[in-house]
Amino acid sequence: METAEFVRAVDREGRLLAAAAEEAGTEAKVPTCPGWQVRDLLRHTGVVHRWAAAFVAEGHTSYHPDGGLPDLDGTELTAWFREGHRYLVDTLSTAAPDVRCWHFLPAPSPLAFWARRQAHETTVHRIDAESARGGTSIAIGREFAVDGIDELLRGFHARAKSRVRSEEPRVLRVRATDADGAVWTVRLSGEPPVTERGGSGGADCEVAGPAAGLYLSLWNRLPFREVTGDASLATLWRERSAVTWG
């Protein structure tokens, strides 16, 4: 996917998130994020949007801390979220393609990284807001979901921070059943997982399903639709794979 497509996704998903949060109300519980209310979701995502935008807009070339959670609630909090989301979209839309700034996963450019990362960040949290509101969620595109699975497996969980580890070597296969070639082999050990695109060789466990659902399952928003082989590896993923802020 191109950077411009990710920026459009950030725009669309943030507006959907805000609308769902507004309908649910800031006191509503977020079923996909146990212990959170909508106010927590808006504060967190709003901080992340401003934090990400600052790297691009201000050209920070090393890690820069976020501005902290706001002491806002209700309509003021929703308005604050919308303002920060707009700032992020405008920043990504107008930035020079060769802008230099800090980023934390491999990418063709810093701008490509931040557009992609914030598109997926905002989409997952849009699903959270819709879970608080109830009713039907708006579908996630297949190509976008495949990209998000790739970012999660080959980006986030390639880092030393990943807690998805096994005392003995194991192999987890991830397969999107509705997309050609959307298969990943995740090799687990006492070190960070090593993931390669493709499905050659044996696997101890396979998790599979349509790309959009699999994307949300890997982000621990839905149970896995299909698990074959040693189900303890699917359980290990659910228990250890959470990506935390901070």
Side-chain angles (χ1 to χ4, degrees):
M1 293 178 62
E2 299 295 326
T3 298
E5 295 176 89
F6 287 122
V7 176
R8 287 193 293 271
V10 175
D11 187 12
R12 178 184 66 251
E13 297 294 325
R15 287 186 283 108
L16 290 171
L17 192 164
E22 211 161 41
E23 287 184 57
T26 56
E27 294 184 358
K29 293 182 179 179
V30 182
T32 49
C33 296
W36 269 21
Q37 293 174 290
V38 168
R39 62 170 60 91
D40 302 303
L41 179 64
L42 288 174
R43 288 168 180 166
H44 165 76
T45 314
V47 163
V48 172
H49 283 173
R50 285 168 165 78
W51 175 76
F55 284 104
V56 179
E58 299 170 20
H60 299 295
T61 55
S62 59
Y63 177 81
H64 191 75
D66 65 74
L69 299 174
D71 185 20
L72 298 172
D73 205 351
T75 57
E76 288 186 338
L77 177 58
T78 306
W80 174 86
F81 172 83
R82 290 184 189 276
E83 180 183 77
H85 170 247
R86 189 74 257 151
Y87 173 56
L88 173 63
V89 172
D90 289 347
T91 296
L92 295 174
S93 298
T94 59
D98 61 350
V99 64
R100 309 308 301 171
C101 62
W102 180 85
H103 57 294
F104 60 89
L105 296 179
S109 71
L111 182 60
F113 165 81
W114 284 112
R116 182 195 199 196
R117 175 81 292 277
Q118 291 310 300
H120 290 298
E121 175 84 12
T122 309
T123 298
V124 171
H125 288 316
R126 182 265 290 180
I127 292 293
D128 294 331
E130 290 178 340
S131 80
R133 179 199 62 194
T136 304
S137 286
I138 295 170
I140 296 170
R142 181 171 57 193
E143 182 184 5
F144 183 83
V146 168
D147 180 83
I149 294 170
D150 200 73
E151 185 207 39
L152 181 62
L153 296 180
R154 297 206 296 164
F156 273 104
H157 287 287
R159 300 186 301 164
K161 289 183 177 181
S162 177
R163 297 184 302 114
V164 184
R165 304 188 184 206
S166 172
E167 290 184 4
E168 60 180 279
R170 308 300 299 280
V171 178
L172 173 67
R173 181 148 296 136
V174 177
R175 185 184 306 274
T177 55
D178 59 346
D180 292 340
V183 184
W184 297 260
T185 299
V186 185
R187 302 188 186 281
L188 304 176
S189 68
E191 299 298 318
V194 176
T195 300
E196 60 191 35
R197 195 76 180 257
S200 61
D204 298 292
C205 175
E206 178 170 302
V207 294
L214 189 59
Y215 170 68
L216 293 176
S217 297
L218 290 165
W219 276 106
N220 293 317
R221 265 56 183 188
L222 289 175
F224 288 113
R225 181 166 174 172
E226 302 173 32
V227 179
T228 55
D230 184 354
S232 70
L233 288 187
T235 301
L236 175 70
W237 181 271
R238 295 196 67 84
E239 292 177 347
R240 301 281 187 87
S241 67
V243 176
T244 56
W245 177 248

